[in-house]
Amino acid sequence: MNTSVMAAGNFLIPNGTFIAELIAFLIVLFVLWRYVVPPVSKAMSDRQAMIKAQLDEGREASERLKQAEADYRSAMEEARTTAATIRDQARADAAAIREEMLEQAVQERDRVLESGREQLQHERDALVRQLRAELGELAVELASRILGESLAEEARQRGTVDRFLAEVQAAESGTAGAGGRR
Amino acid sequence: MTGVPLAEIEVGTHTTVEFLGLTFNIDTIISTVIVGIVVILLGFFLRSQVTSKAVPGRIQLFWETLVGAIQGQVEQLMGVSVAPYTVPLGVALFLFILFCNWIELIPTQHHLPAPTADANTTWALALLVIIWVHVASIRRNGAGRYFGHYAKPLVGLLPLNVVEELVKPVSLSLRLFGNIFAGGIMISIIGLLPGAVLWLPHGLWTLFDLFVGVIQAVIFTLLTITYFSLQLAPGEGH
């Protein structure tokens, strides 16, 4: 080997350096190809995949949130509707019960009034019947005592008493009807 | 010959070593080895702390940005599934060329020239890419369709198509070489200025060289992917 500084004859014509340069570049190419570009590429695509996954996840989460909000809103709406229905129902029930109780009370009152009236009627009838029987005898006795005459004939006797009693009853029923309405 | 002291500007000169009957530009090779080590260390550093679960570090973000950009470019031009190997190739080309372009900016009294300012490097990269493109095209399309493409859309265009393919490696290689080589020449010329005013143009040119270094790396990588896509894109080649 000898080292010398010399002006190249034509520096565009390649010499042995060509081979050295080619080998040098091939070594660099081999190293980068084999050891450097694959991990870089992998890191890039991995990160791309990760970012994509995160974006998808975020999108999914926000969709889920939206869904949950919608569910919540519809549940609230439903609950409100149910509450309103229950309230209305309760109100209607209360009204119905009150109505019914009122009805019952009125019926009860009417029934009590009716039975009271009926009892009164019965008592009055019984009284009248009793009075009629007693009054008849009393009146006949009175009359026979006064007149001294015996009223043996049953038919006449009955007709007179009946006439008398009808008059009494007519006068009395006018007063009793006004009092019963009170 | 002229008033400019050209003797002080070393253009296209290299420290050479003769080995096995071949001439090696040892300064270019040393720079390249350093660049290679830097790129590979950057790669292994990433490998040691790459994570897909925790927060990625700056190195990982840098690699992800680069790989992502190249993947996006490949996807847009032909679909990664058509030629998945173009992604690591593009990443390696971009980083290798970028650091090759930038190493010149380390002030070392031209002990570490930009490897891409040596036509050997750019020829090596361009020929590798172009041969790969053609091999990939034949493997994907079959020899019949591959050679048939040269006669499309008209048989009369065959010479033109052949020339187009022949020019691709030349343009790919010499564009990169020319840009970076010119940067070196400019640095040398600016170096001739008196020291009192040297710093301003030198600083500006260094910034510009940084920019050119990125642009040229991007162009080389993009064109590589484009050449692959022209041959491999589903549907039509040219």
Side-chain angles (χ1 to χ4, degrees), chain A residues 2-8 15 17, chain B residues 10-18 22-31 109-113 118 120:
Chain A
N2 69 317
T3 306
S4 65
V5 178
M6 60 171 236
N15 56 18
T17 319
Chain B
E10 292 185 352
V11 171
T13 58
H14 292 283
T15 312
T16 59
V17 174
E18 300 291 333
L22 289 168
T23 311
F24 291 90
N25 301 340
I26 197 70
D27 50 355
T28 301
I29 291 171
I30 290 170
S31 295
Q109 266 78 41
H110 304 293
H111 286 306
L112 291 177
D118 185 332
N120 285 295

Side-chain angles (χ1 to χ4, degrees), chain A residues 95-141:
Chain A
I97 289 167
R98 199 176 57 213
E99 196 71 28
E100 198 179 325
M101 285 178 77
L102 195 65
E103 187 71 23
Q104 267 176 4
V106 166
Q107 274 175 3
E108 184 70 14
R109 185 199 66 185
D110 286 356
R111 198 176 58 76
V112 168
L113 272 177
E114 190 58 36
S115 73
R117 200 175 291 139
E118 264 171 26
Q119 204 172 344
L120 263 174
Q121 189 72 36
H122 282 313
E123 278 174 12
R124 200 181 61 112
D125 283 355
L127 206 65
V128 166
R129 254 195 312 276
Q130 197 183 346
L131 275 178
R132 193 179 286 171
E134 282 178 15
L135 264 180
E137 277 174 34
L138 215 64
V140 169
E141 198 181 293

Side-chain angles (χ1 to χ4, degrees), chain A residues 29-81:
Chain A
L29 175 62
F30 172 77
V31 169
L32 295 193
W33 192 336
R34 184 80 196 273
Y35 298 107
V36 179
V37 172
V40 174
S41 248
K42 188 176 173 299
M44 286 163 76
S45 50
D46 281 2
R47 195 155 53 244
Q48 237 168 7
M50 197 168 73
I51 291 170
K52 190 178 175 299
Q54 280 170 347
L55 282 177
D56 284 354
E57 215 167 276
R59 204 172 299 127
E60 203 177 296
S62 75
E63 243 159 49
R64 265 206 304 264
L65 177 67
K66 215 174 287 165
Q67 184 63 41
E69 265 171 9
D71 284 356
Y72 164 77
R73 210 167 291 134
S74 76
M76 276 303 278
E77 195 59 42
E78 202 176 313
R80 212 170 281 140
T81 313

Side-chain angles (χ1 to χ4, degrees), chain B residues 152-172:
Chain B
K152 285 182 181 174
L154 295 168
V155 181
L157 291 178
L158 190 134
L160 220 57
N161 283 333
V162 172
V163 167
E164 187 194 355
E165 292 305 325
L166 288 178
V167 161
K168 275 179 185 171
V170 178
S171 70
L172 195 58

Side-chain angles (χ1 to χ4, degrees), chain A residues 1-8 11-22 24-29 31-33 35-37 39-44 46-47 50, chain B residues 12-13 15-18 23-25 28-29 32 36 43-44 46-47 51-52 56 60 63-64 67-68 71 85 88-89 92-93 96 119-121 123-125 128 132 177:
Chain A
M1 278 204 243
N2 69 317
T3 306
S4 65
V5 178
M6 60 171 236
F11 52 73
L12 290 180
I13 305 295
N15 56 18
T17 319
F18 179 92
I19 299 161
E21 295 298 317
L22 189 60
F25 176 70
L26 286 176
I27 292 170
V28 170
L29 175 62
V31 169
L32 295 193
W33 192 336
Y35 298 107
V36 179
V37 172
V40 174
S41 248
K42 188 176 173 299
M44 286 163 76
D46 281 2
R47 195 155 53 244
M50 197 168 73
Chain B
T13 58
T15 312
T16 59
V17 174
E18 300 291 333
T23 311
F24 291 90
N25 301 340
T28 301
I29 291 171
T32 307
F44 279 113
L46 163 94
R47 217 179 135 71
T51 171
S52 55
Q60 187 179 340
W63 278 101
E64 285 185 3
V67 173
Q71 259 172 4
Y85 46 82
L89 177 64
L93 278 174
F96 186 75
N120 285 295
T121 310
W123 279 122
L125 297 178
L128 173 72
W132 196 338
F177 166 72

